[in-house]
Amino acid sequence: MSEANDYSYNIASVEKTIRLIELLAETNGELSVLQIAKRLDTHASSADRFLITLQNLGYVDKCEQIGKYRLTDRLLKIASNLIVSHPLTVRYLDVMHTLAYNLNATTHIMAFYGLSTITLHKDLQTQNISYNNAFFDPKRQHYCSAPGKLLLSTLPEEQLSEYLSGLKFIKYTSTTITSEKELRENLELIRRVGYSVHNEEWLSGCLTVSFPLRVYGEIRGAMSIMCSIERKDEILSPETLSEIKRMLAEPDV
């Protein structure tokens, strides 16, 4: 059986098709055939054939007025199906809603992919626009968010060091972590206690606690609970933390 990371097994046309879809997703509706060919390092005629095939399959549209291409919503349908059947959805969605109700807090399920945290679901019990908008700010770095720090705590040393080498610490609040030493100490604490905390490190007045979500023993994402910092003692009490961990414990397989 072939190994997943043995690139000698790659089919060039499949690889180029995936690269084309990813390219269109980055600049949807903004690229011509010549621009696509240049970005894919291929001939225009080859890029055109790929685009026509994807058009015929319903994945790409061409804007005739400007001669440029965009992805259709068919990929959104695939993404929606993936979210519905995602193991984090199947195993933890009901728990997310229960935690939101029991704690009167906003809860989120996030999947980890590489160095990305991807929000799959949210329950906005805490109707605070600042909190809810801030949670999805793409500019926020992992070092000052609860799910981000949880993700960093799972990385092997080589990948963590690579992340840190390109990191510029910004002090958003008085509690923001601003050094590699402090961050590494916090990540070690997260590994030890089994959860991470955002203690107003990026957004004043906000407490977020993130717990690992496992699938067959592997950490695949996070359950995050967001509320006012005034509830810190309540949410971080041993009784509450223990109950949350109990509810998130992976079922026996």
Side-chain angles (χ1 to χ4, degrees):
M1 186 168 68
S2 64
E3 294 293 332
N5 60 353
D6 187 343
Y7 293 103
S8 66
Y9 285 90
N10 284 8
I11 299 173
S13 60
V14 175
E15 184 176 355
K16 190 157 291 187
T17 301
I18 297 299
R19 287 176 58 202
L20 172 55
I21 290 173
E22 291 177 342
L23 176 60
L24 288 174
E26 292 171 4
T27 54
N28 208 359
E30 297 295 329
L31 294 178
S32 66
V33 172
L34 291 177
Q35 290 171 319
I36 290 170
K38 183 177 181 180
R39 297 280 288 273
L40 294 181
D41 191 25
T42 190
H43 295 294
S45 59
S46 178
D48 193 49
R49 288 196 300 271
F50 279 104
L51 288 163
I52 290 173
T53 301
L54 289 172
Q55 274 187 285
N56 292 337
L57 292 173
Y59 289 97
V60 167
D61 273 341
K62 180 181 180 181
C63 179
E64 297 296 341
Q65 287 80 4
I66 60 175
K68 295 185 178 182
Y69 292 83
R70 60 174 289 275
L71 295 174
T72 70
D73 289 347
R74 184 162 185 170
L75 282 175
L76 293 180
K77 184 176 183 297
I78 292 175
S80 177
N81 292 339
L82 175 60
I83 290 173
V84 169
S85 62
H86 196 285
L88 295 183
T89 299
V90 174
R91 297 187 182 209
Y92 297 108
L93 184 60
D94 290 346
V95 180
M96 183 197 76
H97 291 306
T98 300
L99 284 170
Y101 179 81
N102 287 349
L103 298 173
N104 188 29
T106 288
T107 54
H108 302 79
I109 291 177
M110 309 191 82
F112 293 163
Y113 181 76
L115 278 172
S116 298
T117 56
I118 305 166
T119 302
L120 300 181
H121 303 281
K122 53 185 178 291
D123 189 324
L124 306 180
Q125 288 285 334
T126 303
Q127 297 301 321
N128 183 307
I129 295 176
S130 295
Y131 293 179
N132 296 332
N133 288 345
F135 203 89
F136 305 103
D137 192 311
K139 297 180 181 179
R140 180 178 55 175
Q141 284 279 355
H142 290 321
Y143 71 89
C144 56
S145 80
K149 289 190 294 182
L150 183 62
L151 170 61
L152 294 178
S153 74
T154 70
L155 298 180
E157 176 56 35
E158 182 178 358
Q159 196 172 1
L160 177 60
S161 295
E162 183 178 355
Y163 168 81
L164 291 170
S165 67
L167 178 61
K168 178 183 178 182
F169 287 99
I170 299 173
K171 192 170 184 62
Y172 294 103
T173 72
S174 62
T175 59
T176 306
I177 291 174
T178 55
S179 72
E180 179 176 338
K181 179 178 182 295
E182 187 181 2
L183 178 58
R184 284 185 175 276
E185 289 173 350
N186 192 258
L187 297 182
E188 183 55 39
L189 175 63
I190 292 168
R191 298 184 191 104
R192 189 165 66 250
V193 300
Y195 61 89
S196 64
V197 178
H198 165 273
N199 182 25
E200 299 187 282
E201 295 164 48
W202 189 75
L203 184 66
S204 296
C206 175
L207 173 75
T208 306
V209 188
S210 293
F211 298 82
L213 298 180
R214 292 178 169 84
V215 177
Y216 299 125
E218 178 187 358
I219 296 177
R220 294 280 300 276
M223 178 77 74
S224 293
I225 299 164
M226 177 186 290
C227 62
S228 168
I229 194 67
E230 296 173 356
R231 301 180 60 198
K232 180 178 178 179
D233 290 342
E234 171 196 351
I235 298 299
L236 296 181
S237 70
E239 296 78 15
T240 301
L241 293 173
S242 178
E243 177 61 13
I244 294 172
K245 287 182 178 180
R246 183 193 67 78
M247 294 177 66
L248 296 177
E250 186 179 12
D252 294 333
V253 295

